[in-house]
């Protein structure tokens, strides 16, 4: 039985790799009322570590898998962590979790982060309502800059913004960019044309020191991507992960139907 599943997995993966060479429809052609991906807006001053939430709303069809790439200004901001609000990050536990599997990685050198999620249970537990997807922990670097720094998703790039439903079809998605309003330390909490994050708890000096040590050692969470991979390998890895999971949803659904037919 294990051999059978290994062969099925290899066939599925090979199928998806071949599909990468085919032209893909743009998001504007999906034909549904678009869902909205929103990145939070928060205040912070030099040296602060702030939490920036990423959410999805206005959902009309269940989301079975997604992948996003968010860009930021690496000269003024530094990502120190990505925490899922929906999804499990453990390789074995996520397949048994109704919230599905979540992966992420980031590069402060290149100024981007990537996050991907999928429901491994054949689309039985899609995202069907407004949901907090994940939270980005960002350090405001110590510079003299005062103003806003934006977080953006290239919405016209399928590889940077991909959402699929339970049948594997592309969903239409719009993006509401987020930002950090960088203010002077003495001005925090005042009106800067942007409401401060009321739920944010400033980190203690010990917390900030620990984060600095972790990021100096590596730019990404352990176990996600080999440090020696260049951008082309990272892009391929993310594409394969998202696409293969979407194809596997259909494969698992067909397997379940076949078992039901045998029982009957």
């Amino acid at each position: 039985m294990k051999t059978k599943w290994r062969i099925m997995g290899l066939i599925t993966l090979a199928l998806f790799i071949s599909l990468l060479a085919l032209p893909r429809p743009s998001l504007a052609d999906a034909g549904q009322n678009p869902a909205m991906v929103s990145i939070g807006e928060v205040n912070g001053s030099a040296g602060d570590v702030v939490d920036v939430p990423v959410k999805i709303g206005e959902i009309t069809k269940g989301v079975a898998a997604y992948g996003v790439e968010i860009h930021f200004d690496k000269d003024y901001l530094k990502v120190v962590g990505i925490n899922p609000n929906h999804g499990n990050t453990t390789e074995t536990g996520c397949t048994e979790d109704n919230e599905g599997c979540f992966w992420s990685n980031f590069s402060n050198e290149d100024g981007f982060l990537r996050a991907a999620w999928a429901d491994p249970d054949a689309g039985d537990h899609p995202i069907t309502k407004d949901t907090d997807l994940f939270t980005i922990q960002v350090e405001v670097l110590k510079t003299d800059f005062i103003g806003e720094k934006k977080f953006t998703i290239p919405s016209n790039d399928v590889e940077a913004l991909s959402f699929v439903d339970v049948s594997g079809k592309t969903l239409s998605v719009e993006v509401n960019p987020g930002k950090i309003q960088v203010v002077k330390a003495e001005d925090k909490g005042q009106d800067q044309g942007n409401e401060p994050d009321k739920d944010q708890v400033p980190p203690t000096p010990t917390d900030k020191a620990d984060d600095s040590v972790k990021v100096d050692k590596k730019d990404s969470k352990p176990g996600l991507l080999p440090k020696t991979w260049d951008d082309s390998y990272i892009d391929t890895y993310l594409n394969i992960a998202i696409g293969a999971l979407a194809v596997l949803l259909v494969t698992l659904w067909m397997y379940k139907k076949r078992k039901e037919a045998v029982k009957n």
Side-chain angles (χ1 to χ4, degrees):
M1 187 69 174
K2 290 182 179 179
T3 301
K4 177 182 177 182
W5 279 107
R6 287 195 188 101
I7 293 174
M8 185 179 295
L10 290 173
I11 292 173
T12 302
L13 185 57
L15 174 62
F16 177 70
I17 292 173
S18 65
L19 290 175
L20 287 176
L22 298 177
R24 287 170 287 185
S26 66
L27 292 176
D29 296 332
Q32 305 102 18
N33 293 327
M36 177 65 70
V37 173
S38 300
I39 307 173
E41 300 182 358
V42 300
N43 286 358
S45 58
D48 285 351
V49 175
V50 297
D51 289 341
V52 180
V54 179
K55 306 178 180 181
I56 188 170
E58 303 178 23
I59 298 175
T60 56
K61 297 189 70 174
V63 177
Y66 73 77
V68 296
E69 177 179 305
I70 299 175
H71 294 188
F72 58 91
D73 192 330
K74 61 189 175 79
D75 294 327
Y76 299 94
L77 305 175
K78 180 180 183 181
V79 173
V80 298
I82 302 172
N83 299 317
N85 297 319
H86 184 88
N88 191 318
T89 58
T90 61
E91 294 181 3
T92 55
C94 75
T95 58
E96 303 297 329
D97 193 326
N98 288 346
E99 289 196 354
C101 300
F102 179 88
W103 302 266
S104 65
N105 74 292
F106 55 87
S107 171
N108 286 312
E109 181 179 349
D110 297 314
F112 70 83
L113 65 94
R114 294 185 176 115
W117 172 89
D119 169 22
D121 194 20
D124 287 347
H125 302 97
I127 298 173
T128 57
K129 60 183 180 181
D130 294 4
T131 300
D132 293 346
L133 300 179
F134 56 93
T135 299
I136 313 164
Q137 290 183 299
V138 184
E139 179 181 351
V140 181
L141 298 180
K142 294 182 178 179
T143 67
D144 295 330
F145 176 81
I146 299 297
E148 66 179 40
K149 287 297 174 182
K150 293 185 177 181
F151 296 91
T152 59
I153 301 175
S155 57
N156 60 341
D157 183 352
V158 176
E159 294 182 359
L161 183 65
S162 178
F163 282 71
V164 297
D165 63 17
V166 294
S167 63
K169 294 182 179 179
T170 300
L171 294 172
S172 180
V173 180
E174 292 184 353
V175 176
N176 184 19
K179 66 181 179 180
I180 292 180
Q181 187 75 27
V182 182
V183 301
K184 295 179 180 179
E186 57 268 27
D187 293 338
K188 282 194 300 185
Q190 297 181 16
D191 183 13
Q192 299 292 324
N194 175 45
E195 183 178 356
D197 187 357
K198 297 178 182 179
D199 296 328
Q200 180 183 317
V201 179
T204 63
T206 301
D207 292 336
K208 291 166 71 173
D210 289 343
D211 284 336
S212 177
V213 171
K214 291 177 182 177
V215 176
D216 285 341
K217 290 181 179 179
K218 58 183 75 177
D219 253 359
S220 180
K221 288 188 176 182
L224 288 171
L225 293 173
K227 293 171 67 177
T228 55
W229 282 16
D230 60 19
D231 284 348
S232 62
Y233 279 99
I234 293 174
D235 290 339
T236 301
Y237 176 91
L238 189 63
N239 283 333
I240 290 175
I242 297 171
L245 283 168
V247 176
L248 280 172
L249 292 177
V250 179
T251 304
L252 289 171
W253 178 81
M254 293 174 64
Y255 177 72
K256 289 174 65 177
K257 292 296 183 182
R258 183 178 178 183
K259 287 184 64 178
E260 292 173 1
V262 171
K263 288 181 180 179
N264 295 332

